[in-house]
Amino acid sequence: TPAQVGASSKTSGPITGDGTTKIFTLAHALGQDVLVQVYDSTTFQTVFPDVVRTSGILVTVTFAVAPITTQNYRIVVIG
């Protein structure tokens, strides 16, 4: 029999580049067992920064190179 999956919740927020900042944090209330995805807000392509589930209420996303001022991403946290 298939495993039962409980209801999930979602939190999302923007990441706006400034050419300097590489680390972005999103607050949520979903616990530490969450899925995190970051995508380009223009092309909708998934990007792969480093993601750390900092705590049960925070996710930290770190880019290798700071996003430029015209670059916008969206971070989605599902738990």
Side-chain angles (χ1 to χ4, degrees), residues 37 43 46:
Q37 186 174 46
T43 67
T46 301

Side-chain angles (χ1 to χ4, degrees), residues 3-36:
Q4 295 295 321
V5 178
S8 65
S9 297
K10 177 182 90 165
T11 299
S12 64
I15 295 176
T16 303
D18 64 8
T20 304
T21 305
K22 293 199 243 180
I23 300 171
F24 301 86
T25 302
L26 178 71
H28 63 84
L30 304 175
Q32 214 158 355
D33 190 15
V34 294
L35 298 174
V36 180

